Amino acid sequence: MLEVHHDYINKTTSGKFKIIYINKPEEMNMAHNLIDRNEDTFIDINNQ
């Protein structure tokens, strides 16, 4: 994040950011499994 602006009147947040890396789909699935511990939404990355 480079800048963050909070508008408390309109209840919005905006800002500037810089993308330094775009994850591959496999990396996103691995991150999902680390974050979401719900067995119903678990993604088996070995059987896709």
Side-chain angles (χ1 to χ4, degrees):
M1 293 295 295
L2 302 175
E3 290 181 18
V4 177
H5 299 280
H6 300 288
D7 183 341
Y8 296 106
I9 296 172
N10 295 315
K11 298 181 181 178
T12 60
T13 302
S14 62
K16 293 181 182 179
F17 62 92
K18 180 179 179 181
I19 297 173
I20 56 173
Y21 181 78
I22 298 177
N23 291 315
K24 297 174 186 159
E26 298 83 16
E27 294 170 324
M28 293 301 293
N29 288 338
M30 288 172 38
H32 177 268
N33 289 337
L34 289 173
I35 296 168
D36 184 6
R37 293 302 195 183
N38 184 349
E39 290 183 13
D40 295 333
T41 59
F42 183 80
I43 300 171
D44 187 356
I45 61 172
N46 296 319
N47 292 321
Q48 287 189 347

